[in-house]
Amino acid sequence: MVSSQFPIFNDTNVININRAPRALSLLSPHFQFIHPWRTYQQRFLTEFNTHLEDNHLHVVAPPGSGKTVLGLEMVQRLNKKTLILSPTLTIRNQWRERMSDFSVAGSEVSISFNIKQPATLTFSTYQSLHSYYKNDLEFSSEKLVAYFKQEGIGTLVLDEAHHLKNEWWKPLFALKQLPNCTLIALTATPPYDSEQNEIRKYFDLCGPVDMEIGVPELVREGNLCPHQDYIYFSEPEAAQIQFILTYREKLMTFVTNLKSNEAFINFVKRHPFYAETEKNLEAIYHEPERFSALLIYLNAAGVEIDKTKTEFLGIDSKKVRFPSLSYEWVTILLNYFLIENRDLYIEEEELLQPIEKDLRKIGAFEQKKINLVGERSLYRKLAQSPSKLKSIVEIVKVESSQLSENLRMVVLTDFIRKEFLDVKFGESITEINKIGVVPIFQYVRNAIKKEAGFPLKIEKLAVLTGSLVIVHNTIVKDLSKVLSAENFRQEILWETEYVLIKPNVAGSKDIVNAMTQLFEAGTIEVLIGTKALLGEGWDAPALNTLILASFVGSFVMSNQMRGRAIRVNRLKPNKVANIWHIACVDPTSEMGGADVALLLRRFDAFCGISLEDKPYVENGADRLNVLQDIKNVKALNSKMARLSAERTKIAQRWHEAIDGGQVLVRELKLSYKEQISYPVLKKLYFKDALTYVLVELSVLFSITLPELLLKNLTTLLSKGALYFMYALLLGFAMVLLPKTVKAVILYVKYGRRDKELRKIAMALKETMAEKGILTNHNVSLVVDQFKDGSLSCYLVGAKAKTEVQFVPYLQEIIDPVTNPRYLIVQSNWLRRKLGFSNYYSIPKIFGEHKNEARIFFKNWKRFNGNAKLVFTRNVDGRRLLLKARFHSYQDEHQIASKQSLIWK
C-alpha cells in the first residue's frame, strides 16, 4: 500500500513534489534522511567513497535491515539521474513509499514509473526493461545504451538482485556500458547455490560485495527478534528403505560390471589419450580430468598402467597411487563417451547403448545427464517421504503444548496437492504419499481428531494459498468481520468441519489481508500455505513459529522464508521465533543421505545462534552439531523438542553471543575430509616430528617399561639383565621406528598446517597491501584452531570490502589446483628426495599479468621460503599443471575449505 502522503501513480505518471527551483539532478542538500542512521548503515556510509572506487556499490542485508532507505541515500550522494529496477510492482512501489523517510522540503524531485519517460528518479521493474528491450528496441543493446545515454541516466539500481532471470542479463550488462555509470546492487542473499557460471555472471554484474549487514547487528539493534533453527528428522518407511538399498546395489553392480566389461576396457585403451599419450600431451593438458578418469578406470579394471603414462606427467611410476574408482570418476568417464562426444562414436553404438540402457534402468541417466553423485532418484524419494508429514504433526504438537493460545505458526511448502482434498478420516490418510499444503492439512486435522488431548484446537487450523482457502466453520463469522460476506462464498469440505472459502474478484484482493488479521489476532493459530504466496513479502509480525516444508528452491528462497518469522513484533517486544526444518535420513548413508546434505548446505545462506554449549553466531549447520548423532533420529528429535521450549534461554544466548563480539567476520574455515579422530589429526598435522617422538618415549618409559619389567621379572632373573636390555631396546626400536618415520615423512610433506596457513595468508595479505587493495595499516591476521582439528583464518581491522575479497582469494590458493594461469611449486631438497611437492594456485586477480604474479611470488618466498613460479599456458607448464592436479587426487589427507560468517 502506498503511503497516504503521496498519491497512487500508474506507469505513465511523471510528477513533481513540492515545486521548488532546484532538482535532485543538480545538487540536493534538502533531500536528507530524517531519522538517525542505524549503526551498520552509518558504517557503510562512512566508507562510502572507498566502496565507490570501482563504480559498484553492492550491499547484502536481510529483510528488515533498511536496504531501501540506504539505497536512496546512495542515490542522493551520487546525485545523478537514476533508474531503479525491482522484481515486482509491490517492491517498486515500496521505493516510492520510503521517500517519506527523506525531507524534500524546498526541493523539486521529478519521479516516473514509466521506463519510456525517464525522470530524475525512475522506478520500474526488470520485466518492463526487458519488454522495452525486446519489443521496442528489437534486442539491440546498442539502441538501449544510446537511449538511456541520451536521457542522461548515470546511476542504475538493481533491487533484490538475487531475483535476476536469464533473459534479464543481457540488457543489464548493456546498461553498465553507460558513460560513468554507477551500479548499486541490493540483495538479501547472493545466489551462492547457483551454477558456477551463474554466480560468476552475478558478481560480474553487481561487483564484489562492499558490505554484508549481519543478522547479529539487526538483533542487537532490535530490528530482528532472537530466533533459533531446529531440524526434525524422520526415517523413510520400509518400502523407501528397500528402494534405497536396491538403488545402491544396482549402482554397485553397474560399476562392478563396468570394471569387468572387456569390450569397454579395450575401447578405453584405444582412446588416443591412453594409446598415444605422448602425441596427445597438449590435448591431455587441456582435459586433465578426462585423462585421470581413463587411468583410474583402467587401474580399477585390473589393467597394469604402463609407467610411461604417468612419467609423461613427471610422476614417479613407483610412487603413484591411483584413487579408487568413485562415482565421481565414473561420471566423468561416461559423460565423455555417452553425452559430450557421442557423435564421434557412432560405430561404437553396439557397445555404448547397453551401458546407457543400464544407467537408465537405475535412474542415473536423465535429461541427457549422468547423475551417480547427486543420487537424484534417492533425493526425490526422501524429499517427498510421507514420514515428513508425521514430523510436521509432531512439531505442531510440541509447539502448541509450549505456547498454547500464544502460538502463531506458519507451515510453508511448495505445492497445494488438491487431489488429496477428499481424503476420508482415518485409515485413508495412508493414501497420501506426497508433501503439500493439503496433505499437511489432512495429517494435522487427522491427528487432532484421532489423538485424545492433542494440544491444538481443531478450529485454530487453516489453509491460505493463492487458489485455496480453508477455515473451520466456526471461523466464518470472524472472517465476515474483516472481509465482507458479499465478497466470498463458502463450500463445505466433504466429511469435515471445514469450509472452502471462494472469494469473488473483489474479495480476492483482500483475502490474504483478512486471513492475516485473523492469524495476528489468534483466531487462527496454525496457517498452512505456499512459499509462493507467503514466502516473500508477506508480513505478519505475530508469527513466532515457522515450519519450512519446502524441498524445491534455493538458498535465496530459504533465507526469504525465514525472514517471515524473525521480524520483530512491536506488540510483543520479547518475541522469540523458532524455525523448524525437516529432513528424511537415509539410514544407509554415514552422513545422512541426499536430503540431509541439501538441507545442511542451505544453512550456509543464513546466520544463527549455536544450539548448545558456549553461544556463538555463525552461518552453516555446524552450529547445530547434528551429524555426529545422525543415525540416532529419536534422540536428536527429543533434544530438539526439549531445547525449543527454552525460548527465554534462546534470547539470553543471543545477547551473550552478541556481547562477545563486535562485527560479522568472513573467514576461511578448513576441515579434514577424512573421518579421523582428533587425537590422530593432532599427531599428523599439529605436532612436529620431534614432539611426537618425545611423547612416544615418555609414554614408553613412564607406562610401558615398568609394566614390562613386572611381567618379565622371571626372564630378567634367569637370563641376565644384559640379555633383557638388548631385547627391550630391540622391541622399542621395532615399535618406534615405523611410527617415527611416518611422523617425519608427514611433517616433511605437510609441516604444521596452522603455521603453513598463516604463512600463506601473510603472503596474500602483503600482496593485497602492495597492490592497494588493502589500505588499512592496522590490519592483523588471525588463525584459530579448534578442538575438532579444523582451522579458520580471517582479517581483523580490515574494511568490509577488503575482508570480503581476502577470503575467496585465500580459498583459491588453498583449494586443490584447477586451472590457474600461474602455479607455485613449494618444495626443497629433502621433499624432492622423498617425492613430495606442494602446489598452490596464484589467485586469478594476481595471475592475469606476469608482473603482478611476480609481486605475489615475491611475497610468497618472503614467508614460505624457496619455491618455483610456473606459467601454465605453455607445454611444460601444462604438464606440471596436470601433475599438480593428479597429486591432489592422490592426497589421502585432503582438507575441505569453506567460507563462513561468524560474529567476533
Side-chain angles (χ1 to χ4, degrees):
M1 186 68 72
V2 180
S3 171
S4 60
Q5 183 177 345
F6 303 102
I8 298 176
F9 308 103
N10 59 40
D11 282 352
T12 61
N13 287 126
V14 179
I15 61 154
N16 291 328
I17 300 176
N18 298 333
R19 298 181 183 276
R22 303 192 67 172
L24 184 64
S25 56
L26 301 174
L27 292 174
S28 182
H30 302 291
F31 189 77
Q32 301 292 330
F33 189 57
I34 60 177
H35 305 291
W37 290 111
R38 297 170 185 172
T39 304
Y40 50 83
Q41 292 171 327
Q42 185 59 61
R43 188 169 70 248
F44 174 83
L45 294 173
T46 299
E47 299 180 359
F48 182 78
N49 289 334
T50 301
H51 298 317
L52 191 57
E53 287 172 355
D54 62 355
N55 242 4
H56 291 80
L57 296 165
H58 190 178
V59 176
V60 177
S65 59
K67 289 194 297 291
T68 306
V69 292
L70 191 59
L72 284 169
E73 176 66 15
M74 292 186 235
V75 168
Q76 187 275 133
R77 293 190 178 204
L78 292 171
N79 203 29
K80 296 183 284 189
K81 287 187 73 172
T82 301
L83 174 62
I84 300 171
L85 298 171
S86 303
T88 66
L89 291 173
T90 300
I91 297 175
R92 181 203 70 173
N93 292 337
Q94 287 174 358
W95 277 83
R96 180 63 188 85
E97 293 177 48
R98 291 283 72 79
M99 287 189 68
S100 63
D101 292 320
F102 285 75
S103 169
V104 291
S107 176
E108 183 182 77
V109 181
S110 61
I111 293 175
S112 173
F113 287 81
N114 187 352
I115 206 165
K116 298 178 185 179
Q117 299 179 26
T120 301
L121 295 182
T122 302
F123 301 109
S124 190
T125 63
Y126 297 111
Q127 295 91 327
S128 294
L129 175 67
H130 183 262
S131 176
Y132 179 62
Y133 173 68
K134 172 186 176 182
N135 299 322
D136 294 63
L137 303 179
E138 300 175 329
F139 295 105
S140 171
S141 297
E142 293 77 14
K143 290 180 181 179
L144 184 71
V145 173
Y147 169 72
F148 283 108
K149 178 181 178 182
Q150 180 182 339
E151 293 294 337
I153 297 296
T155 300
L156 179 64
V157 180
L158 307 183
D159 191 21
E160 304 291 357
H162 57 267
H163 277 285
L164 299 179
K165 296 181 180 179
N166 287 334
E167 61 266 26
W168 298 345
W169 290 107
K170 195 167 183 180
L172 292 173
F173 271 111
L175 288 178
K176 285 189 69 174
Q177 306 308 312
L178 286 168
N180 301 314
C181 178
T182 301
L183 188 143
I184 299 172
L186 307 171
T187 183
T189 310
Y192 290 125
D193 62 331
S194 299
E195 298 291 336
Q196 283 301 314
N197 63 328
E198 290 296 314
I199 298 174
R200 184 172 59 254
K201 276 200 302 185
Y202 173 86
F203 283 104
D204 285 346
L205 178 66
C206 301
V209 175
D210 291 290
M211 181 177 184
E212 192 155 357
I213 298 171
V215 167
E217 293 180 272
L218 297 172
V219 173
R220 179 177 61 188
E221 298 204 10
N223 301 120
L224 293 179
C225 72
H227 52 278
Q228 181 59 280
D229 291 278
Y230 302 95
I231 304 176
Y232 204 95
F233 296 97
S234 64
E235 295 178 294
E237 297 175 346
Q240 289 181 301
I241 293 176
Q242 186 57 51
F243 174 86
I244 293 168
L245 291 172
T246 302
Y247 181 86
R248 293 194 185 284
E249 287 172 4
K250 288 179 179 178
L251 278 182
M252 291 175 65
T253 301
F254 172 81
V255 174
T256 300
N257 291 340
L258 192 69
K259 289 191 292 186
S260 60
N261 187 332
E262 289 296 332
F264 187 70
I265 292 170
N266 291 327
F267 168 70
V268 173
K269 288 170 68 176
R270 292 196 300 271
H271 190 280
F273 280 14
Y274 187 80
E276 299 178 304
T277 305
E278 187 173 7
K279 291 182 180 179
N280 291 278
L281 285 177
E282 184 63 27
I284 288 171
Y285 298 152
H286 281 283
E287 295 187 287
E289 276 192 332
R290 200 79 63 207
F291 182 59
S292 299
L294 294 175
L295 295 183
I296 292 166
Y297 165 71
L298 291 174
N299 177 73
V303 175
E304 185 175 347
I305 306 297
D306 190 295
K307 64 180 183 180
T308 60
K309 307 302 177 186
T310 54
E311 287 176 352
F312 281 130
L313 310 179
I315 300 172
D316 189 337
S317 60
K318 296 178 181 178
K319 296 178 180 177
V320 66
R321 297 183 312 279
F322 289 95
S324 60
L325 185 64
S326 64
Y327 291 149
E328 288 91 342
W329 288 117
V330 174
T331 301
I332 293 169
L333 178 74
L334 295 183
N335 261 327
Y336 180 79
F337 294 119
L338 298 182
I339 298 175
E340 297 172 13
N341 294 283
R342 188 67 172 266
D343 56 339
L344 300 179
Y345 300 103
I346 302 296
E347 297 178 1
E348 306 289 346
E349 274 298 301
E350 190 175 338
L351 170 65
L352 299 179
Q353 186 61 36
I355 296 174
E356 178 186 331
K357 188 176 179 180
D358 288 342
L359 284 171
R360 289 188 183 278
K361 284 181 180 178
I362 299 169
F365 194 117
E366 295 179 355
Q367 299 176 344
K368 293 188 177 181
K369 288 184 179 179
I370 296 173
N371 196 315
L372 299 176
V373 179
E375 301 173 332
R376 293 174 62 185
S377 297
L378 289 189
Y379 173 64
R380 281 198 297 267
K381 286 287 183 182
L382 295 172
Q384 286 284 356
S385 174
S387 64
K388 290 185 175 183
L389 293 167
K390 297 175 184 177
S391 294
I392 293 169
V393 171
E394 290 302 313
I395 297 169
V396 171
K397 189 187 300 184
V398 165
E399 292 286 8
S400 189
S401 297
Q402 295 168 4
L403 296 182
S404 190
E405 70 276 1
N406 292 318
L407 177 65
R408 299 292 183 274
M409 174 188 284
V410 168
V411 186
L412 289 180
T413 190
D414 302 292
F415 305 109
I416 299 176
R417 311 284 191 201
K418 290 183 181 179
E419 64 268 27
F420 296 110
L421 269 176
D422 59 353
V423 170
K424 298 177 183 178
F425 170 70
E427 292 302 319
S428 62
I429 199 79
T430 58
E431 297 175 6
I432 298 176
N433 58 2
K434 295 179 180 178
I435 299 286
V437 170
V438 176
I440 295 168
F441 168 74
Q442 297 286 27
Y443 258 76
V444 176
R445 178 183 69 87
N446 188 69
I448 297 172
K449 294 280 288 184
K450 194 174 181 180
E451 297 181 28
F454 197 94
L456 180 70
K457 295 178 181 179
I458 197 163
E459 66 270 18
K460 299 295 185 180
L461 178 67
V463 165
L464 175 60
T465 76
S467 62
L468 181 67
V469 180
I470 304 175
V471 298
H472 195 266
N473 56 31
T474 61
I475 301 299
V476 176
K477 61 180 180 180
D478 296 288
L479 180 61
S480 300
K481 295 176 183 178
V482 291
L483 180 67
S484 174
E486 298 176 354
N487 289 335
F488 70 91
R489 61 183 177 85
Q490 53 184 299
E491 181 182 305
I492 296 174
L493 183 60
W494 184 61
E495 285 195 350
T496 74
E497 305 167 44
Y498 290 87
V499 295
L500 303 174
I501 301 298
K502 307 275 191 173
N504 58 21
V505 175
S508 296
K509 297 177 181 178
D510 298 321
I511 187 65
V512 173
N513 183 52
M515 291 289 286
T516 303
Q517 287 186 52
L518 297 183
F519 178 74
E520 290 274 302
T523 308
I524 297 169
E525 292 176 4
V526 175
L527 191 59
I528 304 168
T530 54
K531 68 178 187 184
L533 183 67
L534 306 178
E536 184 173 4
W538 182 63
D539 192 18
L543 170 59
N544 55 26
T545 307
L546 177 66
I547 300 178
L548 296 178
S550 171
F551 62 91
V552 176
S554 61
F555 289 11
V556 171
M557 183 52 71
S558 298
N559 206 16
Q560 291 291 333
M561 289 190 291
R562 286 176 80 258
R564 303 312 98 206
I566 62 180
R567 291 179 180 270
V568 294
N569 184 359
R570 303 302 175 190
L571 299 177
K572 298 218 172 191
N574 295 324
K575 171 186 168 181
V576 174
N578 284 352
I579 300 115
W580 289 89
H581 309 258
I582 55 177
C584 188
V585 176
D586 178 356
T588 68
S589 169
E590 287 297 319
M591 305 302 287
D595 196 35
V596 172
L598 180 65
L599 175 64
L600 297 186
R601 283 199 302 272
R602 287 183 178 176
F603 268 71
D604 289 338
F606 45 81
C607 288
I609 192 75
S610 56
L611 196 60
E612 295 180 287
D613 302 325
K614 184 178 180 180
Y616 62 90
V617 179
E618 187 178 27
N619 73 323
D622 291 349
R623 59 190 172 87
L624 300 186
N625 195 28
V626 294
L627 286 180
Q628 292 181 350
D629 300 314
I630 197 67
K631 292 297 184 70
N632 196 344
V633 168
K634 188 175 180 181
L636 274 174
N637 289 342
S638 177
K639 180 175 77 170
M640 295 288 174
R642 173 176 52 82
L643 293 174
S644 70
E646 301 174 346
R647 294 194 183 225
T648 302
K649 188 176 288 187
I650 293 169
Q652 292 171 350
R653 289 177 63 80
W654 267 100
H655 293 309
E656 184 179 341
I658 289 171
D659 289 344
Q662 296 180 332
V663 68
L664 200 60
V665 172
R666 186 172 291 276
E667 64 180 13
L668 187 66
K669 204 169 185 179
L670 305 180
S671 57
Y672 297 88
K673 288 184 178 179
E674 65 270 28
Q675 298 298 308
I676 301 178
S677 63
Y678 175 61
V680 175
L681 282 171
K682 204 164 182 66
K683 287 177 186 177
L684 294 182
Y685 300 122
F686 294 102
K687 297 293 183 182
D688 59 33
L690 177 61
T691 303
Y692 180 68
V693 172
L694 290 175
V695 169
E696 289 286 330
L697 285 172
S698 66
V699 170
L700 283 170
F701 285 101
S702 63
I703 299 175
T704 311
L705 181 59
E707 187 176 325
L708 284 172
L709 287 172
L710 289 173
K711 285 185 178 181
N712 297 277
L713 187 60
T714 305
T715 304
L716 175 64
L717 295 175
S718 63
K719 300 229 174 173
L722 187 61
Y723 173 86
F724 180 75
M725 288 305 297
Y726 282 145
L728 188 65
L729 289 172
L730 180 62
F732 281 177
M734 292 176 66
V735 173
L736 270 178
L737 187 61
K739 292 184 178 182
T740 303
V741 169
K742 182 179 180 180
V744 170
I745 290 175
L746 284 167
Y747 183 69
V748 169
K749 186 175 183 180
Y750 297 108
R752 278 184 53 174
R753 287 258 165 113
D754 57 330
K755 289 186 176 180
E756 294 295 315
L757 177 59
R758 177 178 290 280
K759 290 187 286 188
I760 292 169
M762 284 299 298
L764 173 61
K765 173 177 172 287
E766 291 304 308
T767 305
M768 290 176 68
E770 192 167 340
K771 293 298 298 177
I773 300 172
L774 193 158
T775 55
N776 304 43
H777 297 294
N778 299 320
V779 176
S780 56
L781 182 78
V782 179
V783 175
D784 288 334
Q785 301 182 38
F786 302 96
K787 289 183 179 180
D788 63 354
S790 60
L791 302 170
S792 72
C793 181
Y794 55 94
L795 296 177
V796 174
K799 292 180 180 179
K801 187 172 182 177
T802 305
E803 183 183 290
V804 168
Q805 292 172 299
F806 173 80
V807 172
Y809 294 165
L810 181 60
Q811 187 174 32
E812 219 176 322
I813 302 169
I814 296 293
D815 278 357
V817 172
T818 53
N819 190 28
R821 191 174 176 85
Y822 284 93
L823 186 70
I824 290 177
V825 183
Q826 187 74 47
S827 187
N828 54 37
W829 179 85
L830 181 57
R831 284 186 177 186
R832 285 193 296 273
K833 288 297 180 184
L834 292 173
F836 302 143
S837 289
N838 293 329
Y839 303 91
Y840 302 94
S841 302
I842 288 187
K844 185 178 179 181
I845 191 172
F846 303 121
E848 290 297 315
H849 302 287
K850 186 175 183 179
N851 289 339
E852 294 192 347
R854 284 178 170 175
I855 292 172
F856 181 90
F857 185 58
K858 176 195 67 177
N859 287 307
W860 179 276
K861 290 194 295 182
R862 175 183 165 193
F863 292 100
N864 295 276
N866 288 331
K868 183 180 179 182
L869 179 66
V870 178
F871 178 63
T872 65
R873 296 303 188 259
N874 54 35
V875 174
D876 290 337
R878 285 284 182 186
R879 178 179 176 179
L880 190 63
L881 182 60
L882 185 54
K883 179 180 179 181
R885 295 186 69 167
F886 204 81
H887 168 86
S888 69
Y889 303 150
Q890 300 180 82
D891 190 357
E892 73 270 28
H893 303 295
Q894 287 187 27
I895 56 176
S897 67
K898 172 185 170 184
Q899 296 184 39
S900 295
L901 285 168
I902 187 166
W903 183 257
K904 291 183 184 266

